[in-house]
Amino acid sequence: MSMDFGEALREITADAAVATRPVDLERAQARMRRRRTQGAVLSSVGAAVGVVVLVVAVVLVGSRVTGDVAPVVPVVTDTPTPTATSAAEGALCGTPFALEEMDDPDIEVQGAVRVGTLDRETASFEWDITPADTLYISVGTTPDVPDGPWDDLHLSDVTTMLVDPDGTVAFWTDPAKQLQVEATDGSGGVAVDGLYEAVDCRTGRALTGTYRAYATTALDGAGGGETLELAPVSFEPGSGQMAGQWDDRVPACGRPAPADLLAGEVDADFDVTLDPGVLENVRKGLHADVTVTATGPDRLTGRVPQAFHAILVDRSGTVVSRLYDPTREEFDSAATFDVGQGESFPAEVYQWFASCPDESRYGNVRAGKYDLYVYTVILASSGPGTSPGPRVAVGGPFPVTLR
Amino acid sequence: MDERRRSDEVMAALASERGAALNAYAYLLTGDLRDAEDLVQDALVKTFIRGRHLELSSAEGYVRTAILTTWIDTYRRRRQWERVRHLLVKGERKDGPADEVAARSDVRAALGRLAPQQRACVVLRYYDDLTVSEIADRLGLADGTVKRYLSVAVGRLETLLGPLSPPATDRTILVNEGDVR
């Protein structure tokens, strides 16, 4: 006897329709409002003035350029041909930029710039395809301390720049230049926000080589905001982002924590410590500085992830929070590490304590007393010419009371 | 601006009247209720962001298409990373277990074993009763690709569930009022 698979699917949807929550219309409308205003944020005269203020400010404030990346000189041939510019681009494109890091107490800027190609037929972006002709600027703001289910990174709040080895802006996220692409295959698909042609704004020619990337929310000239360096952007083949999710290498939510973790005997490559004071008033998530120390004999090099992760373990030894949010990407930071046994580097834990996906509710882990373990997979190389492999960084247990 | 307001009103009405059905449809793809809700959110925003005028009667079809394309697009992005990852790191990573969230019944578990492209094809074929050509049009694939996806998917499903009866191939109705679709 054969199964009526269509009927089985209809039964599943009938169950799901009962179990699902009403569409959060307010959230959808809020997201649409944000995206609709995105195109107008910087095209006003006021914004242009703000851009000038920022550029002048950062140049005057300091010439410190952090990081140890040595960008490849972009190839520019023939006579530069100015491209059409928006009101603000004239102020920012081609101007010198020197990083003055700023930390906003209310927000956190996260993300990365990816290179790839845009399939206009399906309006889909495919990254790490060479030759790359499109940039995907997945950089936005989130709350400084994570406090709930993931919503989009607020892309419109951030201006991202690519800066050439001479220290001048070769590309920036001019809202007027953002690609608005609808699939030509009739599917009605619309390309994701944040796509731009990979073109040098000074010359109109394709970006090549490697650039430093910076993101800032401080464009209104009013002071404050957050400015930081992102992982460099390279158009060289095989130079894609390294960070990723390693579900099979981290403790699973809803299951007993690994015995070696509870016993403090994890064979980790890095030991993570933090100031217990940061755990005194934890509610739905944690954003804190940590110190990461190499434990093994090998010298390890790599790029520091933007976010280290952490899990909560209850008194029965069960993992009660998700380490990875499957809807959220992992990003590299601009910082690198090169450490031998006993040597350390700084990093940050940024973790929303999300309940396990197989529970009836979806949201924050309930208040109570737990043990917190920092647990992160880092990609690291153990020597020149060695391809990076996943290494585990572990810290804890740190007693914490979730309020 | 009036057009945008009308568009927003259509979205609100659609979310109110057909939200559960849209979430259920998305659930066939994601296998996780909360992920399905997020997918519907994304699809609603994509469909109505431009403020274009849509009749309520046709808007659901657009949103369902956006659900599919968003799902596939997300998969494609992940696939690109997986495709190049081996070039950058050691091959030490093991494949994860099947989607445990979906494993509440045999059918859900079987769906969870399918690749996203295969899963989308199966939903369009067996739930939406689309033909191979219609699926190909909807997903922007060649007919032969759809046939291959369906062949592999059905083979895998039948291994897990036993023989499947053929789908109704002549109906092309996307929205059937009165049920949860």
Side-chain angles (χ1 to χ4, degrees), chain A residues 31-388:
Chain A
R31 290 177 61 192
M32 287 215 301
R33 278 196 298 273
R34 281 200 304 271
R35 288 181 55 174
R36 282 172 177 169
T37 56
Q38 188 170 340
V41 170
L42 287 178
S43 57
S44 69
V45 173
V49 171
V51 170
V52 175
V53 169
L54 169 77
V55 172
V56 172
V58 295
V59 172
L60 289 177
V61 165
S63 59
R64 180 170 58 97
V65 179
T66 62
D68 54 2
V69 180
V72 176
V73 177
V75 176
V76 180
T77 57
D78 299 331
T79 304
T81 305
T83 57
T85 59
S86 70
E89 184 172 344
L92 192 51
C93 182
T95 56
F97 182 87
L99 175 66
E100 177 67 16
E101 281 196 345
M102 292 193 292
D103 184 31
D104 187 308
D106 298 321
I107 59 164
E108 178 78 353
V109 173
Q110 296 181 340
V113 178
R114 304 184 188 288
V115 299
T117 59
L118 175 64
D119 182 344
R120 290 182 179 270
E121 186 177 354
T122 61
S124 62
F125 174 76
E126 301 197 342
W127 65 42
D128 292 336
I129 299 291
T130 54
D133 58 12
T134 306
L135 293 171
Y136 175 37
I137 313 294
S138 181
V139 183
T141 62
T142 68
D144 189 63
V145 179
D147 64 356
W150 178 66
D151 193 4
D152 285 338
L153 286 172
H154 297 180
L155 306 180
S156 62
D157 298 339
V158 181
T159 296
T160 303
M161 292 160 278
L162 301 187
V163 175
D164 72 9
D166 295 333
T168 57
V169 176
F171 168 89
W172 72 284
T173 48
D174 179 355
K177 297 287 183 66
Q178 183 171 205
L179 298 175
Q180 303 286 348
V181 177
E182 195 157 341
T184 59
D185 61 4
S187 65
V190 178
V192 293
D193 275 359
L195 297 179
Y196 294 82
E197 286 186 40
V199 169
D200 190 319
C201 63
R202 302 164 298 180
T203 65
R205 299 188 180 281
L207 293 166
T208 58
T210 301
Y211 299 82
R212 290 178 183 272
Y214 301 94
T216 183
T217 64
L219 280 180
D220 58 5
E226 181 151 313
T227 302
L228 77 165
E229 183 169 4
L230 305 169
V233 177
S234 175
F235 291 84
E236 303 296 332
S239 55
Q241 184 202 1
M242 303 300 292
Q245 297 191 348
W246 302 83
D247 292 301
D248 299 335
R249 291 178 174 270
V250 300
C253 194
R255 293 185 178 172
D260 58 353
L261 180 67
L262 297 178
E265 297 173 349
V266 176
D267 184 20
D269 299 285
F270 298 97
D271 180 52
V272 184
T273 56
L274 54 73
D275 175 2
V278 302
L279 301 178
E280 288 177 357
N281 190 26
V282 178
R283 295 178 183 277
K284 300 170 184 174
L286 178 67
H287 182 193
D289 293 333
V290 296
T291 300
V292 186
T293 305
T295 61
D298 293 336
R299 187 156 200 90
L300 297 174
T301 62
R303 194 164 287 285
V304 181
Q306 282 183 15
F308 270 51
H309 291 285
I311 54 170
L312 297 174
V313 176
D314 68 11
R315 293 304 156 101
S316 71
T318 300
V319 180
V320 297
S321 66
R322 291 207 261 183
L323 191 144
Y324 289 125
D325 181 342
T327 66
R328 188 165 196 154
E329 295 176 73
E330 306 295 313
F331 300 110
D332 293 320
S333 73
T336 57
F337 61 85
D338 181 354
V339 288
Q341 192 169 35
E343 296 176 338
S344 302
F345 61 90
E348 293 182 13
V349 169
Y350 187 89
Q351 182 73 50
W352 170 47
F353 298 124
S355 57
C356 301
D358 55 350
E359 289 187 1
S360 58
R361 65 194 178 82
Y362 176 82
N364 303 299
V365 171
R366 60 172 61 90
K369 294 186 176 181
Y370 302 96
D371 281 333
L372 179 145
Y373 292 86
V374 178
Y375 206 111
T376 293
V377 177
I378 307 172
L379 291 173
S381 300
S382 58
T386 306
S387 62

Side-chain angles (χ1 to χ4, degrees), chain A residues 1-29 31-33 35-36 119 121-129 136 150 152 180-182 185-192 238-249 252 255 322 326-327 329 357-362 379-380 382 386-391, chain B residues 4 7-8 11-13 15-16 18-25 27-28 32-38 40-42 44-52 62 65-66 69 73 76-85 87-90 92-97 100-101 105 107-108 110-111 114 122-123 126-129 137-140 157 161-166 171 179-181:
Chain A
M1 181 178 170
S2 61
M3 169 186 275
D4 185 340
F5 193 64
E7 182 58 26
L9 294 182
R10 280 182 276 280
E11 288 173 2
I12 289 174
T13 55
D15 291 342
V18 173
T20 189
R21 299 176 298 192
V23 172
D24 187 343
L25 186 61
E26 197 171 307
R27 179 180 162 216
Q29 289 170 332
R31 290 177 61 192
M32 287 215 301
R33 278 196 298 273
R35 288 181 55 174
R36 282 172 177 169
D119 182 344
E121 186 177 354
T122 61
S124 62
F125 174 76
E126 301 197 342
W127 65 42
D128 292 336
I129 299 291
Y136 175 37
W150 178 66
D152 285 338
Q180 303 286 348
V181 177
E182 195 157 341
D185 61 4
S187 65
V190 178
V192 293
S239 55
Q241 184 202 1
M242 303 300 292
Q245 297 191 348
W246 302 83
D247 292 301
D248 299 335
R249 291 178 174 270
R255 293 185 178 172
R322 291 207 261 183
T327 66
E329 295 176 73
D358 55 350
E359 289 187 1
S360 58
R361 65 194 178 82
Y362 176 82
L379 291 173
S382 58
T386 306
S387 62
R391 308 281 184 152
Chain B
R4 181 172 287 181
S7 173
D8 290 356
M11 184 181 81
S16 171
R18 301 295 295 166
L22 291 171
N23 283 338
Y25 185 72
Y27 175 72
L28 285 179
D32 179 286
L33 281 174
R34 304 317 162 213
D35 290 345
E37 291 167 4
D38 287 342
V40 170
Q41 280 274 332
D42 290 343
L44 285 171
V45 171
K46 277 189 173 182
T47 304
F48 292 97
I49 185 72
R50 302 280 171 78
R52 61 182 172 179
Y62 282 96
T65 297
T69 54
D73 193 37
R76 280 179 177 144
R77 274 184 263 154
R78 288 181 182 167
R79 183 187 59 177
Q80 284 308 319
W81 167 239
E82 296 300 331
R83 200 158 73 186
V84 300
R85 185 176 207 146
L87 299 174
L88 305 170
V89 302
K90 292 176 181 173
E92 298 178 9
R93 190 184 185 208
K94 298 173 183 175
D95 289 338
E100 295 159 6
V101 179
S105 72
V107 173
R108 290 191 186 94
L111 276 174
L114 302 181
V122 163
V123 168
Y126 285 88
Y127 185 75
D128 288 321
D129 294 334
D137 287 344
R138 189 70 56 84
L139 297 180
L157 290 171
L161 302 171
L164 307 182
S165 58
R171 288 184 295 144
D179 64 12
V180 299
R181 299 167 64 186

